[in-house]
Amino acid sequence: MRAQPLDCAPPPPARAAVIRFRHFALRRGERLLLANVDLALHAGWRVGVVGRNGAGKSSLFAALMGEVEADRGDLDLPDKARIASVAQETPALPAPALDFVLSGDAEVHAALQAEANAFAAEDWEAVAAAHQRLEEVNGYDGTARAARLLHGLGFPAETHEKPVADFSGGWRVRLNVARALMTPSDLLLLDEPTNHLDLDAVVWLEEWLKRYAGTLLVISHDREFLDNVATHILHLHGGTAKLYVGNYTAFERQRAEHLRQQQIAFEKEQAERAHLQSFIDRFKAKASKARQAQSRMKRLEKLAGTEAVRVERGVRIQLPAPAKLPNSLLSLRDVDCGYGAGATILRKVGFGLEAGDRIGLLGVNGAGKSTLVKTLVGELPPLSGERKAHPDLRIGYFAQHTVESLVAGTTPLDHLRALAPDVPNQALRDFLGKWNFPGDRAFEVIDNFSGGEKARLALALLAWNKPNLLLLDEPTNHLDLEMREALAEALSDFDGAIVMVSHDRHLIGLVCDRFWRVAGGRVELFDGDLDAYAAWLRSRPGADYPKTPEPKAAPAVAKPVPAPAPARPKVNPHKLQKAEERVARLEGKLAECEAQLADPAVYADPGRLADLGRTQLQLRAELDAAEAELLALYEAT
């Protein structure tokens, strides 16, 4: 039976957030990014913000957050609109991950802290006040909501109490996303939220966002994600911002039709211009036709001046044909993969690669996908079993850290010359030109390159060696939509074998025809395509996907436990024994309750989860009172 998903969305917005741009213009330095923007974004819309790198997407977000002011015109936000966004940096905090995420809801976090402090001080009036405040801010399930956000974004339960400082950069990005989702908001701004997420977490995030009740603006280069989430697309191009109804696929169709109609209108106008100009040139000197010529000159001046469709230079890349292409390239036989004794990640892996294979690796981050790729590369030797490679095997490996390994202070030409010191400069420049580093761009220092440009350079360096096996671990991070399309085309035409890890379903779906799932220390063939995998993720037992919240009865407020009465001068031994038994009994009940709360399966039943949370609070209060009474009895003996 399919497990019912949980509601982990924040409360709906308290007000309708209508955002209006009026003659809005935005400039960065000397460069005009946007001009004459007039549009309105309504509550409940989920708007995908797209456009080439440098079109002004991030600057638009900065304006919405009040970090930059409009160069001209107005940007109107509702009064007291609550805005949530993903922080760009996460300091190395000692706070547990769960507490960091929970702090996104400042009121709930403060109320829970007040409750904990009141319990610690045995201040029962403060406990009662904290309970009342928790009821007011709907905070009884705050900790559970934060835990579900962490779970949905791929954090195992045992990591929830781990300090933020102990997480790597990619996982800290996920923590920032979770914290933004935890924050009550009328407007949610997400800038590339799927970077650093695995496919499982992306599917979960889509379901969460589709139930977000406020206004969502999301910058993304993942077209499948935009297709599944967006109700509107805001396209920034050439200093303009145009709003389209529908998802990304609908936007592409509408834009293509708009450009077609524009070109038809332009050609029609040009034909009329030519006809009018021909008449004017022929008859303007003849007195008998002077009036008609003047009339046509006025008509010519009044023509609208429709612009021709500007053909954007599409990015085109080409992977060189492999120098040699043996049929059987690489195989693993009964291989255990890992990082040494006591650190085995995958067991008994059987994996073979032949020319033309297109394999996508599926599974959550941390399951072992990168470990498998490193074993295929040879970076990690098998702990047991056999790795057999053809003598002519030539691997092109793109790892998640490849972009960071580029040498600062050097140029694209410097990087390529390091691989081919004896090749003439012109040949190297010709090659870089094919990867969209033409002319003087080959001599620019990479320090000022965008993340997408650096990723493109890393792919170019990989291609130079004419590999016959490509092992690609998240190659699309930082690549824009256009470059992703170009990469998909190049990979589709590649004659060698490909193994790919990617959260971009559009890319992996176009390129790969077989999928292997990495989970539970095993590598197994997944029988189905990516749509089947997404459906399986949503339907598997214990799946934790958000649903539309249902009205809930207000949780009962635990009454403050009265302070114990002063101990009597003489203590009855039977009373002392009963007090000890009561403390032991309450400790056992509390331990059992907390064990149930630590079980991820409990999140499949929202009612049970809420009951357990209330029971935990009540048991803690009763145990504190029982321990205080027992202490008083001890002191009186």
Side-chain angles (χ1 to χ4, degrees), residues 301-313:
E301 291 172 358
K302 291 180 179 181
L303 287 179
T306 304
E307 289 188 22
V309 173
R310 298 176 183 176
V311 179
E312 297 181 4
R313 182 183 182 275

Side-chain angles (χ1 to χ4, degrees), residues 110 143 152 186 194 201 254 357 367 524 588:
T143 301
D186 308 296
T194 61
Q254 293 174 67
D357 280 349
E524 298 174 342

Side-chain angles (χ1 to χ4, degrees), residues 51-91:
R52 284 186 166 183
N53 289 338
K57 301 185 295 294
S58 296
S59 297
L60 182 67
F61 273 26
L64 287 165
M65 290 187 288
E67 295 174 358
V68 298
E69 293 186 0
D71 186 63
R72 187 173 62 253
D74 298 305
L75 169 55
D76 298 331
L77 290 170
D79 291 338
K80 300 180 181 178
R82 301 170 299 175
I83 302 176
S85 63
V86 179
Q88 297 300 309
E89 300 291 339
T90 308

Side-chain angles (χ1 to χ4, degrees), residues 13-24:
R15 57 195 70 82
V18 180
I19 304 165
R20 297 187 184 278
F21 296 87
R22 306 176 192 272
H23 308 296
F24 178 82

Side-chain angles (χ1 to χ4, degrees), residues 124-139:
W124 309 119
E125 290 186 5
V127 169
H131 287 173
Q132 182 176 353
R133 181 57 179 160
L134 280 170
E135 183 180 21
E136 291 172 355
V137 298
N138 192 27

Side-chain angles (χ1 to χ4, degrees), residues 116-317:
N117 294 337
F119 271 124
E122 298 185 5
D123 183 344
W124 309 119
E125 290 186 5
V127 169
H131 287 173
Q132 182 176 353
R133 181 57 179 160
L134 280 170
E135 183 180 21
E136 291 172 355
V137 298
N138 192 27
Y140 279 98
D141 66 342
T143 301
R145 265 197 296 132
R148 289 196 293 270
L149 288 170
L150 285 170
H151 179 71
L153 290 171
F155 291 86
E158 60 270 18
T159 67
H160 291 189
E161 295 299 324
K162 184 178 175 182
V164 172
D166 289 357
F167 289 95
S168 65
W171 285 98
R172 288 193 199 176
V173 172
R174 292 192 188 208
L175 286 175
N176 283 339
V177 173
R179 192 171 189 271
L181 300 186
M182 187 71 190
T183 304
S185 60
D186 308 296
L187 171 61
L188 178 58
L189 305 176
L190 299 178
D191 190 346
E192 290 290 356
T194 61
N195 278 356
H196 304 288
L197 297 186
D198 53 56
L199 184 54
D200 298 43
V202 171
V203 173
W204 180 90
L205 180 61
E206 288 175 356
E207 295 300 316
W208 195 98
L209 292 175
K210 282 190 283 189
R211 287 158 179 79
Y212 175 67
T215 307
L216 168 69
L217 268 71
V218 55
I219 299 171
S220 179
H221 294 306
D222 185 337
R223 61 178 298 153
E224 194 82 14
F225 175 79
L226 291 173
D227 269 349
N228 290 333
V229 170
T231 61
H232 296 73
I233 296 293
L234 182 62
H235 182 221
L236 308 188
H237 172 70
T240 65
K242 184 173 176 62
L243 189 66
Y244 294 80
V245 177
N247 61 15
Y248 189 81
T249 298
F251 152 71
E252 281 196 316
R253 285 198 299 265
Q254 293 174 67
R255 177 163 165 76
E257 178 61 20
H258 170 75
L259 293 176
R260 189 181 73 86
Q261 294 294 342
Q262 181 181 332
Q263 187 63 24
I264 290 173
F266 171 76
E267 292 173 357
K268 181 178 179 182
E269 183 178 304
Q270 290 303 106
E272 184 177 1
R273 281 180 179 276
H275 177 73
L276 292 172
Q277 191 64 51
S278 175
F279 185 93
I280 294 168
D281 291 342
R282 183 176 300 173
F283 296 112
K284 64 182 178 181
K286 293 187 177 181
S288 60
K289 299 289 185 180
R291 182 173 296 177
Q292 292 94 323
Q294 287 292 329
S295 174
R296 283 161 173 75
M297 290 175 69
K298 291 179 181 179
R299 167 64 182 160
L300 186 61
E301 291 172 358
K302 291 180 179 181
L303 287 179
T306 304
E307 289 188 22
V309 173
R310 298 176 183 176
V311 179
E312 297 181 4
R313 182 183 182 275
V315 176
R316 294 288 183 271
I317 59 176

